[in-house]
Structures are given as structure tokens and as C-alpha cells.
């Protein structure tokens, strides 16, 4: 499942505001970008120099709480380290308790905050993004 249309379709199942197939195609054309996927989901990562960033992680609703996200994060971390990444970063909505719990279990720590980063699709106040990071290769 690495075709942009497939990634966009799954992303739409996972998020209220999803990315288009064209957006995925553009990202996959960039140097250092890779996807790890399994039936229930995928993770998209970019490695530049010695830093890696999780661009998005999407899991089908019916596949959640079955270890899919954990397996994808761990596989992506290993692959990013293999490409020279020394730290793996991501941004997560401060209000996304499930994702924050996942990343904490995967060894990420909060290293920063972007105030009012995520717009509320329902028109409420914007939500802060927490910047999380973990060391790779240890």
C-alpha cells in the first residue's frame, strides 16, 4: 500500500481533515521520504541529514488498539536510523491523548510546543501542537 491513492484513501478513514493523493505523490517524490505500511495503516517519514520526522501516521479505525501503530513507529524508527537519522521528531495535537500515549510508550519525550498550530475543523479555538522526539539507534 504505497500508491498515493491508497494512502490518501486510508488517511481519509483515519482523519477528519485528510491529505490528497496528489499531496502524497508530491511527498513521496521528495528525497529522504519513505513509507512503512501494513494492512491496517501506514507511517510516512522524512530523513534529512541526521534528523527524521514522522509526517503522518494513519491507522484504520477498525485496526486501532491492535498494535499496528506501535509496529509502524518501531519499523520507521529502525529504517530512519538505517538512513542516518539520529533523532526522530513529530508534532501531535495536545488534545490527542491516544496518540500522545502511543508516542510516550514508543520512547518519545516532549521537546517543544507550537501554539495554536492545529485548526479546529468545527470552528473552535486552535489547538497547540506538542513537538516530540526520541533518540534513534540506542
Amino acid at each position: 500500500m504505497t500508491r498515493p491513492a491508497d494512502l490518501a484513501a486510508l488517511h481519509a478513514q483515519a482523519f477528519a481533515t485528510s491529505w490528497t493523493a496528489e499531496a502524497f505523490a508530491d511527498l513521496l517524490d521528495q528525497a529522504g521520504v519513505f513509507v512503512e505500511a501494513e494492512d491496517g495503516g501506514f507511517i510516512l517519514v522524512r530523513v534529512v541529514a541526521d534528523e527524521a520526522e514522522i509526517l503522518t501516521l494513519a491507522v484504520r479505525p477498525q485496526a486501532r488498539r491492535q498494535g499496528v501503530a506501535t509496529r509502524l513507529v518501531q519499523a520507521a524508527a529502525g529504517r530512519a536510523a538505517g538512513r542516518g537519522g539520529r533523532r526522530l521528531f513529530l508534532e501531535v495535537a495536545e488534545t490527542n491523548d491516544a496518540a500522545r500515549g502511543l508516542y510516550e510508550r514508543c520512547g518519545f519525550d516532549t521537546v517543544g510546543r507550537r501554539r495554536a498550530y492545529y485548526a479546529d475543523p468545527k470552528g473552535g479555538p486552535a489547538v497547540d501542537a506538542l513537538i516530540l522526539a526520541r533518540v534513534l539507534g540506542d
Side-chain angles (χ1 to χ4, degrees):
M1 177 207 339
T2 59
R3 291 184 7 196
D6 295 335
L7 298 174
L10 195 154
H11 204 261
Q13 291 178 40
F15 295 100
T17 304
S18 60
W19 299 356
T20 65
E22 292 79 16
F24 280 106
D26 289 344
L27 284 166
L28 290 168
D29 281 343
Q30 294 179 14
V33 174
F34 67 87
V35 62
E36 287 284 338
E38 61 175 75
D39 285 343
F42 71 90
I43 189 169
L44 189 69
V45 176
R46 176 177 31 224
V47 180
V48 177
D50 66 349
E51 291 189 351
E53 177 185 13
I54 295 174
L55 301 173
T56 192
L57 168 62
V59 176
R60 282 181 172 64
Q62 62 271 30
R64 291 181 181 157
R65 304 200 57 79
Q66 298 175 21
V68 173
T70 299
R71 289 191 301 274
L72 290 169
V73 169
Q74 299 300 7
R79 191 164 167 191
R83 291 179 170 212
R86 299 192 61 200
R87 286 182 81 192
L88 180 58
F89 293 88
L90 64 101
E91 293 159 345
V92 64
E94 182 176 40
T95 55
N96 190 338
D97 294 333
R100 289 178 58 199
L102 162 72
Y103 293 123
E104 183 178 307
R105 288 188 305 277
C106 289
F108 286 84
D109 295 308
T110 302
V111 297
R113 174 184 299 270
R114 295 186 196 277
R115 300 249 179 241
Y117 186 76
Y118 291 109
D120 182 340
K122 297 178 183 172
V127 175
D128 288 359
L130 299 178
I131 303 166
L132 307 181
R134 72 172 257 195
V135 174
L136 297 174
D138 285 353

